[in-house]
Structure formats: C-alpha cells, structure tokens
Amino acid sequence: MKQIIEKINKLKENLNKWGHAYYVLDKPLVDDSEYDKSLNELIKLESQYPQLITLDSPTQKVGGVVMDKFEKYKHKQPMLSLANAFNEEDLENFNDQILKEIENKKYNFFVEPKIDGLSISLIYKNGNLFKGVTRGDGIYGEDVTSNVKTIKSIPLSISDKSEYVEIRGEVFLSKNEFEKLNKQRLLNDEEIFANPRNAAAGTLRQLDSSIASSRKLDAFLYYFMDREKFHTHSDSLKYLETMNFKVNSLGKICNNIKEVYEHIQTILLQREKLEYEIDGVVVKINDFDLYEKVGYTAKSPKWAIAFKFPAETKQTKLKNIFSTVGRTGRITYNASLEPVQIAGTTVQAATLHNADFIIQRDIRIGGEVKVKKAGDIIPEVISPIQDENYFSLKKWKEEKKCPQCHSILERVEGEVDQYCINSQCPRKIVRGLEHFVSRDAMNIEGLSIKIIEKLYDNKFVSTVSDIYKLNKFRQQLIELDKMGEKSVKNLLESIEISKANSLEKLFFGLGIRHVGKKTAKTLALSFKNIDKISTITFEELEQINDVGPIVAKSVCDWFTIKQNRELIKELNELKINMQYLGNEGTKNNDKITLKSFVITGTLSKPRNYFKDLLEEYGAKVIDTVSKKTDFLLAGNEAGSKLEKAQKLGINILSEEQFLEMIGE
C-alpha cells in the first residue's frame, strides 16, 4: 500500500504542476499524451483505492484557474471538461456506460472536431452580446467581453431576442495568423508563442483590446445551452448557423460506435490540411433529453467524451541536456534540440523528466532522438536513434551538484528524483517566494518571478517574512529598474491586504511538501489556527480525511525544523493572520462538514446544485461509493451505487431527508 500511496502522490504532484503551467502560465511543460497517460493512471488507481482520493487530486478538478487581472464571472452552469478516449475500445466502453443508464432506448451520436483553442461562453441579453467569459476554473471565468467583441466571427447581436441566451464554443488562432504573429514577434525581439492555442489564450487575456483586434482571433460555436428549445444537438447547431455563428462543417450524426470511429478516421485524415489546429474529436449523445438521465461525474458529463489523437513523432538532434531546480529542490532535466516542426509549431526544447529517464533510455548528447508531441505542448524525448554515430557518443551521466548553488544532490528513498537540500539555494528561495505570493497562496499582486529575482538579487528579500518588511525600502524600490512609484504603491498595498488572508492561504503558501491547496484548506478547517496544526501528532493528522500518512509525516517534519518554527513566529509578529476565517458562503453543520457524500439518481435539480450546496458546508463530494463514504444522497432510479451503499451500510438520504438535515 505504501508504494501505491507514493505513486498516487507523485502523479498528483506532476499533474498539478503541468496543469498550472498549461492553464495559468500558458507555458506548457509536457505534451497532451504524457498528461493524459498520467491522468488515466491516476484515475485507475483511485478507482481501485477510492479511500485514497483527496480533494486536491486533479481527478476532482473541473478545469483550469481564473487569472487575477480580469473580473470574475460565475457561470450559470459549470463549464465541465471531458473524459478522454484513445482507441475504439475506449469508445465502446463509453457506449457501454451509457447503455447502463438508458437501456432499451434508441440514441445516436454527434461527432465534431475538438478545436485546440480556449473555451468561451457567450451570453446575449435581448439579442445583444452581454458577456464573453472564459472557462476559468469551470465555476468562475474571466470576463473578456471587450476582447471577444473584436472577433469578427462572433456577432454583437443575434436574431434570438430572448432575455438570456448562452452559447459556448472555442476561440482559436488559425495556423496562418499564428505564423504571421510569431514572425512579427521575432522582428520585435519578443518571445514567440509555443503554439496557436497559447497564442489565442494570451491574446484573449490582453488588457488592451486593440492588441486582441490586431491578432485576428476566430471562433467556432458548438453548444446552445437552452436544451428546452431543441431536442437534439444537431438541430441546435443549425439554429446557431441561422444566427450567423460559425459552426464547424465536419460535424456529423453517427448512428453507432462503428460509424463514430469511421468518422474520427475521416477527420484525422484531414487534420493536416485544416486551417486550424485540432487535437481530437468530441463525441456526444445527440439527444438533449437524455443528458440528465445519463448524468455527470464530479469532473465531466457522462454523455460526451473527447477522442484524443495519437502523438506526432519526429526525429531531430539532441544538442545538449541541462537541468533546473524547483522550489522544493527537485531537479528536472531538459533537452535542447535542433529546431524541428511538429504539429505545426517549431520545437527547440523538450522535457527529459529525471536522471533515471535519461539513463534507462541511454539518451546521449549529440545523437539523433525521437520526439513526440500531441499537437499542443512542449514535447518529450522518447528514445535515441541508435545509428552508426550513436555508439561513438559518450554515455550521459547524471549531475551530482545543484546547477544553481553547486550543493551535492540527494535522492529521497523510493523516489527517482534528485533534490538540492541546501535551504539557502538561491533558485529554491526565489521559486519558494514565487509560490508564496501566488494566487492560490497569499495572492500578492505585482510580485512576478522577474520582480522577485530583482528583489532577491538586491538583497531586499530572502525569506517570505522579508516581503512584509518591504515598506522600509519604499524609495529604493521606486528607484529599482522599471518598478516606479505607482507600481511600488500598488505592491505595498497588496502586501498589506494579504495579511488578512485566511489560514489556508498562508498554510499553502509555506510550500510544505505534499500539502496542496485543498489539503491546506482541510487542515485549516479542521484545526482553525496554526498553533494547533503545529502541535498535532502524526496519528491525529493521519486520521483526517484527505490527509493520510505521507502528508501527515511531511507536515510533522516541517514543524520540527527550528527555522520553520521561527518563521511562523516572525510572521505572527508581523501581524499575518494565523486563524481560519472561512470563506464566503461557507456554512457549518456538524452532520455535514468534513463528511464525504456520493450523489446518485434523479433529483429535483441538477446534481451540480446539490454538489455546490454540500461544498458550502465543507463536505466532500466524490463519485465512487466506498467504506469511507459517509452519506449517499439518492434520487429516483439510483441504481448500482445505491445497492453498493446498502451492502456497505452507508447512510442513505433521500432529497427530503437531506434538505431537512440542512434546515431547508
């Protein structure tokens, strides 16, 4: 079991890191196939060991993260992501799951390309464009209306004059426009975009709408949200076309999985000739009336799936291997490559993960290598080409010292990664500061990685507590290159505001290994202040839902270090809040808070309504019934989950009983 726990935690760490780079920074680290492979491995392990599912698992996450520079807008209905299929067998399994829910009912599918861009929700009121909102984290998106209005394929007014009309789709940049944009950026000595998806995301998030207008974004619309108006997805698309929306012409009705797979192959053959990037195909039930019947998981609808295309593989020369060090001290190896075109983009760098990855594959500097890319992110070196030149090259040896501070690297027992354990390593310090000020941690605006590096190099900051002493250096900061009086004023105000954050923000920001955002919230909610967390025993921590032995040991170990205890004391003296304050909408109910719920069957309102309600009370909503499940909220036609809950003796609640429990 120990190895399983370690494997799950490793997968979660990687997936959360990759997701942050992809959705927030628009600087992806791995390709789609690597991410999907790891995610599917995690899903499989969690289905086998549901007691190990935690709130911070990527499998519980809906989508990306909301950027701070735009106003947030709450989606009327969550914008969910899709589960993935990679072959015909996966599609058949998808169909089998549908049959379990709607046996003996006829249905067909609608198959359309999966556009590689940025998801958008368009809201029209009385026929006029009211809002353009990104998916964000699935619940709250970014209001990018001013930029959406510059997209020529999106009408500012439509013929449907209903009070509220919502249409969803994908904003993208054509291959041609992408090439033009990167050529111009090279001329301006600017960093080029990695791919059209990143370029589209970066454009839609420009504060200056004139920049968005100059880049000629485009959009395909594919989802009319008012299901009561039409019975099928295909009919709703025809309606979108009558309102002058751009609808993809490759969409097709298929009567069974065999036809679905055939049409996928047809689209795949046309992929390279298309004027826009696609990374797969979306398959969904065509009949709207069946959506609620088939239902949803916490992350995605069960009535739709994304068929992901296989990774494209190319050959090129490996010029060099270099390493970087992260905030935890973990060493990551990367490849510098001769430029090669993969999936429409020029690739010059790739991930090599860790030393074991390179050694096991015997990858050598100066040799030819195979590189794969799923069409959208920084690729991975798969293997060397063992040609006549290969065996004359020197075998690569792992680095023994940190690339930044030159301290001896160490390995944690049972892990493949090397670590720099020097607490004074400059890169670790800078990355730790970057993490502390990030949105999910203390949320201090104005402290980008470049500013942090300047502050560190000029000896203004070396620990997180130094951030709260920057007001002493106000004039020096103003004189610092490109800071300026207004920027410094805003920065110091943001630092002061952050002092009042609830405990979970601080606790996450401390960067304790294995403590993610959700775990930090769980611990803050459970113990209310940092003093209690710092004195809690390993055994007590291990008993907390979503914590477990690895996180418990990590937390206990962190507080045994004198330097860390002194940091907490200093932050307290600097008037940083150390108490759990709760968040907006959080309610307390001893019967529900910190309990785990599974929702099944048909209820009076969509499942997401009850999920949101439960989470307001601090409950955890999971998809699988296990011995650790506290309650099953069961509606009509509950099915196999109800049977399993009855066998395990789980508390079963009807909708009426649940509402009575919360006093509504």
Side-chain angles (χ1 to χ4, degrees):
M1 181 58 78
K2 182 182 177 183
Q3 288 181 326
I4 296 296
I5 292 170
E6 288 174 350
K7 181 65 175 174
I8 286 175
N9 280 314
K10 185 65 181 174
L11 287 167
K12 289 193 293 190
E13 181 184 348
N14 283 340
L15 288 164
N16 283 325
K17 178 187 73 174
W18 298 339
H20 177 77
Y22 184 91
Y23 290 108
V24 180
L25 305 180
D26 287 331
K27 293 189 176 178
L29 300 175
V30 296
D31 65 15
D32 269 353
S33 59
E34 177 68 17
Y35 184 96
D36 293 335
K37 179 184 173 185
S38 296
L39 182 60
N40 284 330
E41 189 176 358
L42 180 59
I43 290 168
K44 195 174 290 184
L45 284 171
E46 288 185 349
S47 65
Q48 291 172 350
Y49 305 96
Q51 70 273 23
L52 299 181
I53 298 174
T54 60
L55 286 171
D56 65 341
S57 174
T59 62
Q60 307 301 300
K61 193 176 178 182
V62 171
V65 181
V66 181
M67 302 289 281
D68 289 327
K69 63 184 181 181
F70 290 103
E71 184 181 335
K72 297 175 187 176
Y73 187 88
K74 187 172 184 179
H75 296 296
K76 195 171 184 179
Q77 294 181 40
M79 291 184 77
L80 301 176
S81 55
L82 297 177
N84 293 325
F86 300 94
N87 49 51
E88 195 168 5
E89 184 182 352
D90 289 344
L91 289 174
E92 287 168 354
N93 290 336
F94 163 65
N95 191 42
D96 289 343
Q97 292 301 313
I98 294 171
L99 285 170
K100 287 179 183 178
E101 304 291 343
I102 55 172
E103 193 175 0
N104 299 324
K105 287 196 177 181
K106 289 185 178 181
Y107 58 92
N108 53 25
F109 298 98
F110 195 86
V111 181
E112 55 197 325
K114 185 175 180 292
I115 310 301
D116 195 14
L118 195 71
S119 295
I120 196 76
S121 174
L122 304 176
I123 298 163
Y124 290 81
K125 289 193 173 182
N126 302 314
N128 297 313
L129 181 61
F130 172 66
K131 291 285 182 188
V133 186
T134 65
R135 185 172 72 175
D137 63 5
I139 306 299
Y140 288 91
E142 304 152 331
D143 182 347
V144 290
T145 310
S146 59
N147 289 337
V148 166
K149 287 181 176 179
T150 69
I151 302 173
K152 290 183 169 59
S153 54
I154 293 178
L156 296 179
S157 62
I158 56 176
S159 56
D160 190 327
K161 304 301 180 185
S162 302
E163 188 177 340
Y164 183 95
V165 172
E166 184 174 356
I167 301 154
R168 292 177 179 177
E170 199 84 1
V171 171
F172 66 94
L173 197 65
S174 72
K175 293 175 183 177
N176 187 41
E177 291 299 328
F178 171 69
E179 290 298 328
K180 285 182 186 176
L181 176 59
N182 266 350
K183 283 178 183 176
Q184 188 60 49
R185 290 178 75 82
L186 282 172
L187 290 173
N188 296 338
D189 199 25
E190 295 175 310
E191 184 181 356
I192 64 171
F193 287 109
N195 49 65
R197 187 263 170 199
N198 288 55
T203 301
L204 205 55
R205 289 167 173 156
Q206 288 289 331
L207 289 175
D208 184 352
S209 60
S210 65
I211 296 175
S213 180
S214 69
R215 291 184 184 173
K216 299 180 181 177
L217 290 170
D218 207 339
F220 280 118
L221 282 301
Y222 55 74
Y223 195 16
F224 187 74
M225 294 296 291
D226 186 357
R227 296 184 200 150
E228 294 180 4
K229 198 160 190 169
F230 300 96
H231 290 294
T232 67
H233 177 66
S234 53
D235 285 344
S236 73
L237 292 182
K238 290 175 185 174
Y239 183 60
L240 291 181
E241 286 185 290
T242 67
M243 292 191 290
N244 297 322
F245 287 104
K246 189 171 184 174
V247 174
N248 196 282
S249 61
L250 293 176
K252 180 183 176 182
I253 297 171
C254 297
N255 293 313
N256 51 54
I257 287 298
K258 184 181 178 184
E259 287 186 17
V260 167
Y261 193 67
E262 287 172 354
H263 190 52
I264 288 172
Q265 299 311 306
T266 300
I267 293 174
L268 181 55
L269 287 172
Q270 298 181 59
R271 181 184 186 187
E272 294 305 315
K273 298 175 184 176
L274 298 174
E275 285 300 312
Y276 47 88
E277 291 285 357
I278 61 174
D279 58 357
V281 169
V282 176
V283 181
K284 61 185 72 170
I285 294 176
N286 194 32
D287 191 339
F288 281 160
D289 298 336
L290 297 177
Y291 284 13
E292 291 302 321
K293 181 74 175 172
V294 175
Y296 303 79
T297 67
K299 180 181 170 65
S300 55
K302 293 180 181 179
W303 41 263
I305 199 164
F307 186 96
K308 303 301 282 288
F309 287 151
E312 184 179 348
T313 302
K314 289 286 183 75
Q315 181 176 326
T316 189
K317 184 177 180 180
L318 175 63
K319 293 162 59 179
N320 198 12
I321 294 174
F322 62 96
S323 61
T324 56
V325 57
R327 68 176 176 83
T328 64
R330 186 165 68 88
I331 302 299
T332 301
Y333 289 94
N334 306 280
S336 174
L337 305 168
E338 287 282 358
V340 60
Q341 283 288 119
I342 308 180
T345 60
T346 303
V347 171
Q348 301 181 69
T351 179
L352 286 164
H353 305 294
N354 51 60
D356 280 4
F357 181 92
I358 303 169
I359 292 166
Q360 287 166 8
R361 288 161 177 76
D362 196 9
I363 296 169
R364 306 183 187 190
I365 295 172
E368 293 288 311
V369 290
K370 286 182 181 178
V371 184
K372 72 173 183 180
K373 185 171 185 281
D376 142 303
I377 340 190
I378 294 174
E380 172 190 13
V381 173
I382 309 168
S383 62
I385 305 293
Q386 295 187 351
D387 55 17
E388 56 186 27
N389 177 53
Y390 170 79
F391 293 101
S392 66
L393 300 170
K394 270 188 178 182
K395 283 202 169 196
W396 180 85
K397 293 182 179 179
E398 69 179 42
E399 294 184 10
K400 301 297 182 183
K401 293 182 178 181
C402 172
Q404 181 70 41
C405 69
H406 310 297
S407 299
I408 300 297
L409 298 176
E410 294 195 8
R411 282 181 187 257
V412 176
E413 189 178 346
E415 293 190 16
V416 296
D417 290 312
Q418 296 169 283
Y419 285 86
C420 171
I421 60 168
N422 176 18
S423 62
Q424 297 307 305
C425 175
R427 194 60 189 168
K428 279 176 66 177
I429 291 171
V430 168
R431 294 302 298 273
L433 292 167
E434 179 192 24
H435 173 74
F436 184 81
V437 305
S438 65
R439 179 184 178 276
D440 289 330
M442 295 302 278
N443 194 22
I444 299 175
E445 295 180 0
L447 278 181
S448 66
I449 184 68
K450 289 184 179 178
I451 296 295
I452 291 170
E453 285 171 344
K454 284 182 187 177
L455 296 178
Y456 179 80
D457 292 342
N458 285 274
K459 297 183 170 49
F460 290 126
V461 295
S462 61
T463 71
V464 297
S465 59
D466 290 337
I467 292 169
Y468 294 95
K469 303 171 189 174
L470 282 173
N471 57 335
K472 296 178 183 177
F473 306 105
R474 186 185 190 99
Q475 192 56 43
Q476 291 98 311
L477 292 176
I478 291 170
E479 293 166 5
L480 198 64
D481 183 35
K482 292 184 180 178
M483 285 287 281
E485 191 167 345
K486 186 175 180 181
S487 294
V488 171
K489 177 178 178 291
N490 292 339
L491 171 59
L492 295 177
E493 284 177 359
S494 185
I495 291 170
E496 192 63 29
I497 289 168
S498 75
K499 290 182 177 181
N501 285 339
S502 187
L503 171 61
E504 68 273 14
K505 305 278 279 184
L506 170 65
F507 200 66
F508 176 60
L510 294 173
I512 301 172
R513 199 162 174 229
H514 302 305
V515 175
K517 182 174 67 170
K518 296 290 179 67
T519 303
K521 177 71 175 285
T522 297
L523 291 172
L525 184 62
S526 300
F527 300 108
K528 307 303 183 196
N529 65 66
I530 207 160
D531 288 339
K532 284 188 179 178
I533 299 175
S534 67
T535 57
I536 210 76
T537 66
F538 171 84
E539 289 74 21
E540 289 172 303
L541 274 172
E542 193 180 15
Q543 296 305 310
I544 302 294
N545 255 348
D546 306 320
V547 175
I550 291 177
V551 175
K553 184 177 186 306
S554 187
V555 172
C556 289
D557 287 350
W558 194 89
F559 281 105
T560 62
I561 298 171
K562 183 181 178 183
Q563 185 181 346
N564 294 336
R565 295 197 304 273
E566 288 175 349
L567 173 63
I568 296 299
K569 182 181 177 184
E570 188 175 11
L571 289 172
N572 195 26
E573 290 169 354
L574 288 164
K575 308 297 182 188
I576 313 303
N577 174 60
M578 302 277 171
Q579 309 292 319
Y580 175 68
L581 305 176
N583 57 8
E584 187 180 348
T586 297
K587 305 171 184 177
N588 290 313
N589 185 319
D590 291 340
K591 296 176 184 177
I592 296 175
T593 303
L594 296 178
K595 304 295 184 190
S596 61
F597 280 74
V598 172
I599 305 172
T600 190
T602 303
L603 300 159
S604 64
K605 294 181 180 178
R607 287 184 193 179
N608 281 320
Y609 168 83
F610 292 95
K611 180 177 181 287
D612 292 344
L613 192 56
L614 282 162
E615 288 177 347
E616 283 185 16
Y617 283 93
K620 176 187 174 186
V621 180
I622 57 178
D623 192 47
T624 308
V625 175
S626 72
K627 290 179 181 178
K628 294 191 79 172
T629 305
D630 293 303
F631 293 97
L632 179 79
L633 174 55
N636 296 327
E637 301 177 40
S640 59
K641 289 180 182 176
L642 177 59
E643 292 173 13
K644 188 173 182 180
Q646 289 168 334
K647 286 178 184 176
L648 293 173
I650 307 297
N651 293 310
I652 298 167
L653 298 174
S654 66
E655 183 176 335
E656 292 74 20
Q657 289 170 324
F658 168 68
L659 294 174
E660 186 179 334
M661 181 185 281
I662 63 174
E664 292 192 13

